[in-house]
């Protein structure tokens, strides 16, 4: 069994992306995932499975799409991947709440950086299947626009560390 987290995009407890965490847990259990639990009400599903990442994505994607009536981007990472992302913070001097990790479906394309628009004081670093952005004065006034060919979702560094820790502890 491998510990994983599924990160759903634009899921919250109110508004257009409303998905109660109890419902998300039930979806995970219906997909045959084990030790299913959530972390904060923003679309973070922790679980264990012997399935491949592709099979997990396919199963969860079908359930989430049925719930919302449309596709919702979701991204799966193993506990080892989350720990590596947490440990390779390219901006350790930045506050965790202003240091975002954007999870991608695959590696950034070679032309990804050239397609970024509106970069001002933000610092950007590329990972394996993620991009880190340090927002300095905060995300509220940024004009930064990251290319989104296959969707992405973001979590701040505080959440990334908490998810990595919870996956390791089995909590």
């Amino acid at each position: 069994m491998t510990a994983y987290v599924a990160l759903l995009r634009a899921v919250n407890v109110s508004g257009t992306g409303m998905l109660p965490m109890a419902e998300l847990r039930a979806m995970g259990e219906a997909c045959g995932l084990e030790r299913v639990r959530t972390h904060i009400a923003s679309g973070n599903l922790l679980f264990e499975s012997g399935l491949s990442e592709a099979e997990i994505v396919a199963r969860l994607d079908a359930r989430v799409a049925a719930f919302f009536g449309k596709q919702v981007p979701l991204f799966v990472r193993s506990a080892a991947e989350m720990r590596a992302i947490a440990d390779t913070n390219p901006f350790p001097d930045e506050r965790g709440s202003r240091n975002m990790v954007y999870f991608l479906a695959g590696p950034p394309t070679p032309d990804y950086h050239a397609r970024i628009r509106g970069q001002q004081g933000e610092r950007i670093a590329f990972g394996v299947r993620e991009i880190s952005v340090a927002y300095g004065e905060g995300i509220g006034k940024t004009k930064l626009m990251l290319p989104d060919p296959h969707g992405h979702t973001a979590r701040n560094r505080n959440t990334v560390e908490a998810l990595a820790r919870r996956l390791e502890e089995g909590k």
Side-chain angles (χ1 to χ4, degrees):
M1 284 293 158
T2 301
Y4 292 98
V5 62
L7 308 160
L8 281 71
R9 180 179 182 171
V11 169
N12 53 46
V13 295
S14 64
T16 58
M18 192 168 106
L19 174 59
M21 293 301 97
E23 181 70 28
L24 181 56
R25 285 189 300 276
M27 287 180 195
E29 290 166 354
C31 289
L33 308 177
E34 298 182 24
R35 301 199 67 244
V36 178
R37 58 224 185 267
T38 57
H39 177 74
I40 63 178
S42 60
N44 303 303
L45 184 70
L46 297 92
F47 57 91
E48 293 179 5
S49 180
L51 298 170
S52 70
E53 180 182 317
E55 183 63 25
I56 293 166
V57 169
R59 289 182 183 194
L60 282 173
D61 189 49
R63 295 274 176 177
V64 172
F67 179 86
F68 285 111
K70 64 178 182 176
Q71 295 299 125
V72 173
L74 65 91
F75 308 87
V76 173
R77 298 296 189 270
S78 69
E81 288 173 305
M82 288 302 286
R83 175 46 57 203
I85 293 165
D87 287 349
T88 57
N89 180 358
F91 310 115
D93 59 320
E94 191 70 59
R95 286 182 20 202
S97 61
R98 294 182 178 181
N99 185 346
M100 302 295 288
V101 178
Y102 289 83
F103 293 88
L104 310 174
T109 59
D111 67 334
Y112 193 97
H113 195 271
R115 294 185 300 128
I116 293 171
R117 300 288 176 253
Q119 184 176 358
Q120 295 167 342
E122 303 89 357
R123 295 178 289 159
I124 300 173
F126 294 85
V128 178
R129 292 189 296 165
E130 63 281 341
I131 297 169
S132 295
V133 178
Y135 283 95
E137 294 303 312
I139 198 169
K141 295 181 182 180
T142 188
K143 303 289 187 222
L144 184 68
M145 295 178 60
L146 299 175
D148 195 6
H150 304 291
H152 61 249
T153 192
R155 301 296 186 272
N156 69 37
R157 283 281 168 182
N158 296 334
T159 300
V160 168
E161 178 57 42
L163 289 168
R165 189 174 45 256
R166 286 196 65 197
L167 287 166
E168 291 165 345
E169 295 170 353
K171 296 180 181 177

